[in-house]
Amino acid sequence: ENDIPIISDVGMLASFDPVALDQACVDLCNKMPAIEGSELAKNIAENPHDENKEHFHMNHPDTDWKSCLEHAEKIGLGSRNYNLIKI
């Protein structure tokens, strides 16, 4: 399926820690409002009481991205902690 963008451009991120980078990307995406008319906006409107209101879950409920980052951190690929420095 094709859809309009679900959120506006969050910019570009870089890090030597791939786990921190992924976590920062997720956090920034989830802070963005859904673009009106997108599938994400429709899913949010249809599920107003969903406590998970994070964008990835709202678009793909069967995807468990959190477990991937938890596992990556557990096996030593990096840390989910990060400091975001805007330049």
Side-chain angles (χ1 to χ4, degrees), residues 8-26:
S8 298
D9 187 351
V10 296
M12 207 173 198
L13 286 82
S15 176
F16 291 111
D17 182 334
V19 181
L21 180 62
D22 281 355
Q23 184 65 60
C25 289
V26 167

Side-chain angles (χ1 to χ4, degrees), residues 6-74:
I6 59 173
I7 60 172
S8 298
D9 187 351
V10 296
M12 207 173 198
L13 286 82
S15 176
F16 291 111
D17 182 334
V19 181
L21 180 62
D22 281 355
Q23 184 65 60
C25 289
V26 167
D27 292 344
L28 286 175
C29 288
N30 280 328
K31 289 179 182 176
M32 299 294 292
I35 293 178
E36 195 60 38
S38 70
E39 197 64 30
L40 176 60
K42 291 176 193 172
N43 292 341
I44 291 172
E46 291 173 0
N47 300 288
H49 302 295
D50 189 331
E51 66 244 12
N52 276 326
K53 291 233 183 191
E54 57 94 5
H55 295 340
F56 298 96
H57 174 77
M58 294 304 289
N59 250 17
H60 299 284
D62 296 331
T63 301
D64 185 13
W65 63 266
K66 292 177 187 177
S67 67
C68 294
L69 291 183
E70 289 168 357
H71 184 69
E73 186 175 44
K74 181 179 177 182

